[in-house]
Amino acid sequence: DSIIFAEKSGIDQINQFVLIDARGNERIIHTPGFIDPVKISVKAGKIAWTEFKSNERWPKESYSVIKLYDLKTDKEKLIASRTRYFAADISPDGQKIVTVEISLLNEYALVILNSETGQVIGRIPSPANEFLQYPVWSSDGNKLFVTSLGTDGKSIQSYDLVTGVWEKIFN
């Protein structure tokens, strides 16, 4: 609790993940690729983020990958490749990752992945196919909270992983 994690960037600098101690000393821990600036998740000694990749043959086609960096081992791991995922968040216990998926048919869903293998544990379709953003886990890991954009505007919603029920908290 005396160390700060930050993404350091600048006009003439490649983005880097750094740790800053109480005295202001920085330690570079990792240099990611072209990341999605929407969300970087840091929990349970791990960092998760989404990077954008272009298809080498078809440059207008792009996809995303989810990467995980373990602060204890100083190792980066590719969790999901060639996907349409974004805004990854690590569960409080570090065992799962929730992310938003947009299919080629513009269907929106929350996807839960195993943080070690990248295997899909669950796929939760968006209510009324609303556009989902910024998923986060509750502190106990039993609910997911997300911003959604639908025909009636933006709202904050929760999804209960135990009961399987969506609830609109407020617009």
Side-chain angles (χ1 to χ4, degrees), residues 122-165:
R123 183 172 274 107
I124 305 160
S126 167
N129 200 38
E130 292 188 1
F131 177 64
L132 303 176
Q133 304 170 302
Y134 317 115
V136 294
W137 293 88
S138 63
S139 59
D140 64 5
N142 290 328
K143 284 188 177 185
L144 297 168
F145 297 95
V146 65
T147 303
S148 68
L149 180 61
T151 55
D152 59 344
K154 266 191 175 180
S155 65
I156 302 290
Q157 298 200 41
S158 69
Y159 180 80
D160 190 311
L161 293 161
V162 177
T163 64
V165 174

Side-chain angles (χ1 to χ4, degrees), residues 1-169:
D1 54 8
S2 62
I3 295 177
I4 296 171
F5 166 82
E7 177 194 9
K8 186 176 182 179
S9 64
I11 294 173
D12 62 345
Q13 178 181 340
I14 295 172
N15 292 14
Q16 297 175 316
F17 295 154
V18 297
L19 295 178
I20 306 168
D21 67 19
R23 294 184 176 174
N25 299 315
E26 292 181 11
R27 180 170 68 95
I28 298 167
I29 57 171
H30 191 64
T31 303
F34 181 60
I35 68 170
D36 176 3
V38 169
K39 185 153 180 71
I40 300 169
S41 177
V42 182
K43 289 186 191 127
K46 298 175 183 176
I47 305 167
W49 70 95
T50 307
E51 291 184 7
F52 296 116
K53 302 286 183 182
S54 294
N55 185 319
E56 291 176 14
R57 185 171 181 188
W58 311 105
K60 293 197 183 217
E61 179 182 273
S62 64
Y63 55 92
S64 62
V65 299
I66 293 179
K67 291 192 175 178
L68 189 73
Y69 185 83
D70 190 316
L71 290 163
K72 293 175 189 146
T73 64
D74 289 329
K75 301 244 191 250
E76 177 187 291
K77 182 188 245 183
L78 182 65
I79 298 299
S81 62
R82 299 190 67 87
T83 66
R84 294 178 51 89
Y85 297 157
F86 71 96
D89 191 55
I90 303 169
S91 64
D93 63 6
Q95 300 299 309
K96 295 176 268 201
I97 295 173
V98 64
T99 186
V100 174
E101 177 185 50
I102 304 173
S103 76
L104 291 171
L105 299 173
N106 283 330
E107 297 167 328
Y108 305 99
L110 293 176
V111 175
I112 300 173
L113 306 170
N114 178 303
S115 68
E116 290 299 314
T117 65
Q119 181 180 8
V120 174
I121 297 170
R123 183 172 274 107
I124 305 160
S126 167
N129 200 38
E130 292 188 1
F131 177 64
L132 303 176
Q133 304 170 302
Y134 317 115
V136 294
W137 293 88
S138 63
S139 59
D140 64 5
N142 290 328
K143 284 188 177 185
L144 297 168
F145 297 95
V146 65
T147 303
S148 68
L149 180 61
T151 55
D152 59 344
K154 266 191 175 180
S155 65
I156 302 290
Q157 298 200 41
S158 69
Y159 180 80
D160 190 311
L161 293 161
V162 177
T163 64
V165 174
W166 282 98
E167 176 186 1
K168 186 177 286 189
I169 299 171

